């Protein structure tokens, strides 16, 4: 049975393929803009992904939080950096972010388990 991380990525990949197969110019440009925005620039990739994590938590998008958690992990962020970032997100977003904080902790643990 696939784990939380594998299930999320399989669904995300499958649906992205379907969405992009419709060849909608606006959606393709948004996807491309997102890809380019998170590339190395004046800010390094890890910093950009941590910023994306804060914005996603404050906006209460669990899929986005999971995506950015994976990206910051790939960019070399430590658990301490991620948890401090989530603390800032909770401060900025308020207590309504706490349920998303719980799911973020759970997903981070699942990411750590995939390393084993």
């Amino acid at each position: 049975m696939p784990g939380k991380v594998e299930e999320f990525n399989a669904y995300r990949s499958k649906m992205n393929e379907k969405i992009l197969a419709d060849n909608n110019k606006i959606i393709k440009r948004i996807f491309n803009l997102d890809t380019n925005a998170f590339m190395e620039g004046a800010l390094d990739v890890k910093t950009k992904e941590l910023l994306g994590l804060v914005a996603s938590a404050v906006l209460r998008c669990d899929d986005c939080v999971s995506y950015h958690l994976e990206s910051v992990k790939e960019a070399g962020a430590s658990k301490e950096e991620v948890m401090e970032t989530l603390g800032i997100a909770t401060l900025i977003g308020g207590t309504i972010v706490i349920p998303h904080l719980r799911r973020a902790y759970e997903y981070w643990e699942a990411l750590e388990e995939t390393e084993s």
Side-chain angles (χ1 to χ4, degrees), residues 100-111:
H100 305 278
L101 175 65
R102 290 182 190 119
R103 287 188 284 277
Y105 267 68
E106 180 182 26
Y107 199 77
W108 184 263
E109 287 177 346
L111 286 169

Side-chain angles (χ1 to χ4, degrees), residues 14-101:
K14 179 180 89 172
M15 294 312 297
N16 281 352
E17 284 179 28
K18 287 184 177 194
I19 290 166
L20 293 171
D22 277 345
N23 209 25
N24 181 302
K25 187 187 300 187
I26 295 168
I27 291 174
K28 282 188 171 191
R29 286 184 175 173
I30 290 170
F31 274 54
N32 185 269
L33 181 62
D34 181 72
T35 298
N36 284 303
F38 285 92
M39 294 176 119
E40 189 86 21
L43 296 174
D44 60 63
V45 172
K46 182 172 78 170
T47 300
K48 287 183 175 187
E49 291 295 346
L50 289 168
L51 290 167
L53 179 58
V54 169
S56 298
V58 170
L59 291 169
R60 302 185 306 270
C61 175
D62 287 333
D63 280 5
C64 303
V65 168
S66 296
Y67 173 80
H68 288 291
L69 283 170
E70 285 194 43
S71 297
V72 298
K73 188 146 187 59
E74 288 174 18
S78 67
K79 181 177 182 176
E80 292 77 18
E81 290 173 310
V82 170
M83 297 311 150
E84 189 169 320
T85 299
L86 289 169
I88 292 168
T90 306
L91 172 68
I92 300 298
T95 57
I96 197 164
V97 173
I98 292 173
H100 305 278
L101 175 65

